[in-house]
Amino acid sequence: MQKELKQAVVQACNRLFSVEIDPVITRPEKQFGDYATNVALQLAGQTGKNPRQIAEQLAAELQQIPAVAQISLAGPGFINFKLTDESLAEAAQSATDLPKPLKGRQILVEFGDPNPFKEMHIGHLYSYIVGDAIASLLESSGAKVKRLSYHGDVGLHVAKAIYGLGELQTRDEDILGKAYSYGNEQYEKDQQAKAEIDTINQHIYSRDDQRINQLHEQGIKLSFEYFDKILNMLSISTDKRYFESQTTPAGLELVNSNKDKVFKLSQGAVVYEGEKAGLHTRVFITSKGLPTYETKDLGLVMLKDTDYPDANRSIVITASEQAEYFKVMLAALAEIKPDLTVKTTHLSHGFLSLASGKMSSRTGNVYTAMAMLNSVRSAMAKKYPDSADRQEIYVAATKYSMLNHRLGQDIVIDVEASVSLEGNSGPYLQYAFARANSILEKSTVDSRQSTANDSRLTTLDSSERSFARKIGEYPEVVERAVAELMPHHICTYLYELAQTFNGFYEKSRIIGDEREEIRLKLVKSYSQVLRSGLSILSIEAPERM
């Protein structure tokens, strides 16, 4: 309805004033109407006319729109639209018929990216959860999305872990974490160990030592078995995993072939002088001839382009501390492959910590992804003993606690609040869906299979109208979330929708009322929107709690 109204305003402005304009259509407070526009104020600046007079002319012209019941003016030239009850009800019933503006477009979304030989911490967990939700958002708009991840299987951290694997005899479940910690400790305090680890690092790149190769393969296997255990719990999957060992050759070739054109030699290293792009200088190949993260990321861009040549866009999601690094890497890429740079978008998420004080990795106080999931599960078991094994509920609590914050902000998660059925939480929305499903099941009126064409709603009371209005906002919220790549808009809306339903339910008897069929239609639309919105957030909607 918003798009139809906007098109009508555009046409009216053209007819009356011969002006092409992009009007802003907003949702005002419900006492003012269902939609509003300040287009008269926009036109006043272009035409030199009084905005109130412009608004009066537009109101007379727009009154002919069939879906509009009433138009009123406010202030110096604001136009408020009240829709007919029938159009509001129809919008509610079709709310989950989302438009597909991205149909035919292929979009790559890279997220998660935990390094093998290290723990998956809550920062990685956050990246996986928000990346999967963004991918689902894009799919809801018709895009064909490829979920990708990128992992550092070479580098000093791997050398430290391999050194530890070789030194430690234990083979318990946490061997990789212990091996890395041991190697890191020895690297800092023992010069002989440091020299051995630096040598291991060279062999990792050259792959010319059989024993090191075997330990490397063992560590990769153990790492991804553990990562996949967590991802399976979250119902998150990836279409392809890339490794630094794969991207290194392509990155080195790109940098070496652009020496003296894009990159410069500096004290034996190859650097990009970022100051020319308003940034800073970064090393791409060290004086020892080893590639840095920047070179490997250039190689990753090239591999993605080879594997997905038809991709229209590539979105990379990382922690915010990598934001400046990405700017330099993309500035260098822009001088070599500007078409690939235009396709690439870097999104950064903020720092994650718990109200208990535990955090991801910025200070080295690593809190693991599994520990986070277990803490949420324990909180739920303590509060709801009968639901202790309901994985879909504690996973929903975990996901929603991260997704209901604006991407880019540092966030603090309260585990106890995340499992509450009384606040803004994933389990609360799951309960709201189960409650709506229960109402539909209790009814003896068979309207759950009805469509907008049978028993069409023609009149709504004030409570029904408010409820229908909120349901009908859903496509607009999804459109905004897709445009901004911000899943928290979905969270905010779903919570507000559930609150609106609570107000409706308090005022409007459903089962056994003479308006039961009409109200059931609204409850059915409400449940469909809840299911759709939770699905975009990759949260299961259980029919019973």
Side-chain angles (χ1 to χ4, degrees):
M1 187 64 234
Q2 186 182 49
K3 288 186 176 180
E4 295 174 14
L5 191 59
K6 182 174 182 176
Q7 185 59 32
V9 171
V10 168
Q11 293 173 351
C13 291
N14 188 267
R15 285 195 301 270
L16 293 175
F17 306 105
S18 300
V19 172
E20 295 289 341
I21 198 166
D22 183 22
V24 177
I25 308 294
T26 60
R27 287 270 190 176
E29 294 295 324
K30 63 182 180 181
Q31 65 266 29
F32 299 114
D34 300 309
Y35 289 100
T37 182
N38 66 347
V39 68
L41 300 175
Q42 291 178 268
L43 285 171
Q46 295 189 35
T47 64
K49 296 185 178 182
N50 182 284
R52 183 76 182 194
Q53 293 176 340
I54 293 173
E56 289 172 353
Q57 288 180 266
L58 284 171
E61 184 81 4
L62 295 169
Q63 190 65 61
Q64 309 306 314
I65 302 173
V68 174
Q70 180 183 339
I71 296 179
S72 61
L73 305 183
F78 293 97
I79 305 173
N80 296 320
F81 302 88
K82 180 180 179 181
L83 302 183
T84 65
D85 289 350
E86 184 176 2
S87 62
L88 266 185
E90 287 179 349
Q93 288 182 316
S94 63
T96 53
D97 297 333
L98 299 173
K100 307 295 181 185
L102 298 179
K103 186 176 181 180
R105 295 175 63 85
Q106 185 182 72
I107 300 177
L108 312 180
V109 183
E110 178 206 319
F111 54 93
D113 301 350
N115 287 333
F117 299 91
K118 280 187 174 183
E119 290 277 9
M120 182 193 293
H121 58 63
I122 55 174
H124 298 126
L125 184 68
Y126 182 27
S127 179
Y128 268 118
I129 287 171
V130 76
D132 189 52
I134 286 175
S136 294
L137 260 179
L138 296 167
E139 287 171 335
S140 75
S141 289
K144 182 179 180 182
V145 177
K146 292 296 181 181
R147 291 165 167 82
L148 311 175
S149 60
Y150 179 48
H151 309 274
D153 65 330
V154 294
L156 192 56
H157 80 279
V158 179
K160 291 175 180 178
I162 287 178
Y163 175 84
L165 282 174
E167 294 292 316
L168 300 178
Q169 298 303 312
T170 179
R171 287 294 180 266
D172 58 26
E173 187 181 55
D174 190 33
I175 179 59
L176 289 179
K178 291 178 178 178
Y180 172 75
S181 295
Y182 178 80
N184 188 57
E185 181 183 353
Q186 295 301 307
Y187 190 84
E188 297 297 328
K189 72 178 187 179
D190 187 320
Q191 288 300 312
Q192 183 177 345
K194 182 179 185 299
E196 288 183 41
I197 291 170
D198 285 336
T199 300
I200 289 172
N201 195 26
Q202 295 280 353
H203 288 306
I204 290 170
Y205 281 101
S206 61
R207 294 193 60 81
D208 57 0
D209 186 296
Q210 184 176 355
R211 178 175 173 272
I212 291 174
N213 291 345
Q214 288 175 344
L215 289 172
H216 186 268
E217 290 168 7
Q218 174 194 351
I220 294 290
K221 181 176 181 293
L222 290 173
S223 292
F224 283 99
E225 285 176 354
Y226 186 66
F227 293 166
D228 286 337
K229 180 180 179 180
I230 297 172
L231 295 179
N232 288 338
M233 292 173 65
L234 299 170
S235 298
I236 293 176
S237 62
T238 53
D239 295 292
K240 188 174 181 64
R241 284 171 171 157
Y242 289 96
F243 296 92
E244 287 184 8
S245 59
Q246 298 171 320
T247 66
T248 295
L252 283 171
E253 180 182 352
L254 199 65
V255 173
N256 285 324
S257 63
N258 284 277
K259 285 179 184 176
D260 301 324
K261 290 182 285 186
V262 176
F263 304 97
K264 304 292 183 184
L265 283 173
S266 176
Q267 298 180 348
V270 180
V271 304
Y272 176 76
E273 296 176 338
E275 286 78 6
K276 58 186 174 182
L279 301 168
H280 58 279
T281 295
R282 291 190 74 98
V283 175
F284 277 66
I285 301 177
T286 70
S287 58
K288 294 181 179 180
L290 294 177
T292 61
Y293 290 122
E294 291 81 354
T295 292
K296 297 168 189 175
D297 266 306
L298 287 177
L300 177 60
V301 172
M302 302 306 295
L303 289 188
K304 286 181 182 178
D305 185 54
T306 298
D307 293 338
Y308 303 101
D310 297 326
N312 304 98
R313 190 176 186 187
S314 177
I315 299 169
V316 182
I317 302 168
T318 73
S320 56
E321 56 258 36
Q322 296 187 39
E324 293 304 311
Y325 150 77
F326 258 89
K327 289 178 183 178
V328 177
M329 189 276 290
L330 290 174
L333 181 66
E335 295 190 40
I336 306 168
K337 298 281 186 180
D339 56 325
L340 297 184
T341 310
V342 171
K343 288 183 181 181
T344 304
T345 300
H346 176 238
L347 297 179
S348 58
H349 61 74
F351 182 64
L352 184 68
S353 60
L354 274 66
S356 63
K358 295 176 179 177
M359 59 193 70
S360 51
S361 64
R362 187 174 291 170
T363 64
N365 182 15
V366 176
Y367 192 58
T368 69
M370 187 62 82
M372 171 71 181
L373 289 166
N374 286 337
S375 68
V376 176
R377 181 179 183 178
S378 296
M380 194 180 77
K382 182 179 179 181
K383 202 163 190 175
Y384 317 107
D386 293 340
S387 299
D389 295 324
R390 295 285 298 275
Q391 181 172 304
E392 75 274 22
I393 301 177
Y394 69 78
V395 167
T398 304
K399 288 184 176 183
Y400 191 87
S401 67
M402 298 180 183
L403 293 173
N404 69 346
H405 298 271
R406 185 179 184 85
L407 184 64
Q409 293 179 335
D410 288 349
I411 64 176
V412 178
I413 293 177
D414 185 328
V415 171
E416 296 297 324
S418 75
V419 301
S420 174
L421 291 178
E422 299 172 353
N424 186 6
S425 71
Y428 170 77
L429 292 178
Q430 289 179 314
Y431 172 74
F433 174 79
R435 184 184 184 193
N437 186 64
S438 176
I439 292 170
L440 293 172
E441 288 184 341
K442 287 177 181 177
S443 175
T444 58
V445 176
D446 188 15
S447 66
R448 282 173 287 173
Q449 302 301 318
S450 63
T451 67
N453 293 321
D454 49 53
S455 301
R456 178 171 292 179
L457 302 176
T458 56
T459 59
L460 300 173
D461 65 26
S462 61
S463 182
E464 293 163 356
R465 196 174 206 287
S466 179
F467 190 29
R469 183 182 189 269
K470 193 65 181 179
I471 297 170
E473 289 181 23
Y474 181 58
E476 300 161 22
V477 173
V478 174
E479 182 179 33
R480 181 184 178 191
V482 171
E484 299 179 9
L485 297 176
M486 291 287 178
H488 80 282
H489 290 311
I490 304 293
C491 299
T492 301
Y493 167 77
L494 292 180
Y495 178 65
E496 291 176 352
L497 177 63
Q499 295 290 89
T500 303
F501 169 78
N502 290 341
F504 165 76
Y505 193 68
E506 288 175 6
K507 296 178 182 178
S508 305
R509 180 186 176 195
I510 298 175
I511 305 300
D513 192 90
E514 63 181 10
R515 297 181 67 78
E516 178 175 350
E517 184 173 357
I518 291 173
R519 290 172 180 172
L520 280 175
K521 286 179 182 289
L522 292 175
V523 175
K524 179 188 174 185
S525 297
Y526 164 64
S527 70
Q528 289 173 334
V529 167
L530 280 177
R531 184 194 293 273
S532 176
L534 288 172
S535 177
I536 286 176
L537 301 175
S538 296
I539 291 175
E540 188 174 338
E543 295 189 354
R544 289 175 177 79
M545 289 286 282

